[in-house]
């Protein structure tokens, strides 16, 4: 689930040219992703133990479905955001459709749901820590966007 994540594999191929990212922001994001990837991978391959039949357990299935629904919301929300403006058009537009009818930061909501689903499916402290980091970081960004 971690390696199939939409933002890592699909999203970079879909985005159009936008505002440049400050170098420090890029470096900090890269360091976070490298450290978190190591932490998640190490946790799941070295320390996590699961009983036989774990993939059929209600906890795993519920977590996987949460992850899948979150990723679908994330992908659809980003599609709406990418198509808000016509080429060359500038200015702020309020997104409509999909989960944007219920929350102003539908893309953030989808990603938060995705990582809490991942945490439930994995049942590790490391995956929960990542979900909480995602909640606090994206939650604050969603609040800023809402304002």
């Amino acid at each position: 689930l971690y390696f199939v994540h939409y933002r890592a594999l699909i999203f970079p191929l879909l985005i159009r040219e936008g505002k440049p990212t400050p170098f420090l922001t890029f470096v900090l994001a890269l360091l976070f992703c490298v450290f978190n990837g190591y932490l998640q991978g190490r946790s799941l391959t070295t320390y996590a133990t699961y009983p036989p039949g774990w993939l059929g357990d209600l906890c795993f299935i519920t977590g996987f479905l949460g992850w899948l629904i979150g990723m679908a919301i994330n992908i659809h929300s980003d599609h709406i955001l990418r198509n808000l403006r016509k080429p060359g058009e500038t200015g702020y537009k309020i997104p409509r459709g999909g989960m944007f009818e219920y929350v102003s930061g539908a893309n953030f909501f989808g990603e938060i749901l995705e990582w809490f689903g991942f945490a439930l499916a994995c049942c590790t402290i490391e995956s929960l820590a990542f979900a909480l980091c995602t909640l606090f970081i994206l939650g604050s960004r969603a609040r800023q966007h809402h304002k």
Side-chain angles (χ1 to χ4, degrees):
L1 302 180
Y2 186 82
F3 290 112
V4 177
H5 176 54
Y6 155 75
R7 288 242 179 241
L9 298 174
I10 301 168
F11 182 75
L13 302 173
L14 299 175
I15 57 173
R16 297 179 188 153
E17 187 176 325
K19 295 183 250 178
T21 302
F23 184 72
L24 181 61
T25 302
F26 168 77
V27 169
L28 291 174
L30 178 67
L31 290 173
F32 175 82
C33 289
V34 167
F35 176 73
N36 184 54
Y38 171 78
L39 186 67
Q40 298 305 320
R42 179 77 179 200
S43 163
L44 292 171
T45 60
T46 306
Y47 302 110
T49 56
Y50 299 101
W54 174 249
L55 298 180
D57 188 272
L58 184 60
C59 190
F60 176 82
I61 292 170
T62 304
F64 175 76
L65 289 175
W67 177 84
L68 194 62
I69 292 167
M71 189 163 84
I73 291 170
N74 199 357
I75 291 170
H76 186 252
S77 300
D78 279 344
H79 173 76
I80 291 170
L81 290 172
R82 276 193 316 277
N83 293 297
L84 269 180
R85 293 179 207 86
K86 293 177 174 70
E89 192 176 34
T90 60
Y92 184 79
K93 289 196 170 184
I94 297 175
R96 301 278 183 221
M99 286 299 293
F100 284 108
E101 298 300 319
Y102 305 100
V103 292
S104 57
N107 52 330
F108 300 129
F109 171 75
E111 186 138 353
I112 291 166
L113 178 59
E114 198 174 340
W115 294 118
F116 272 94
F118 176 77
L120 186 59
C122 295
C123 285
T124 65
I125 193 72
E126 294 83 2
S127 60
L128 177 60
F130 179 42
L132 290 171
C133 282
T134 302
L135 173 65
F136 294 131
I137 292 167
L138 295 185
S140 68
R141 288 185 63 197
R143 187 170 181 218
Q144 288 173 326
H145 282 257
H146 182 77
K147 286 181 180 181

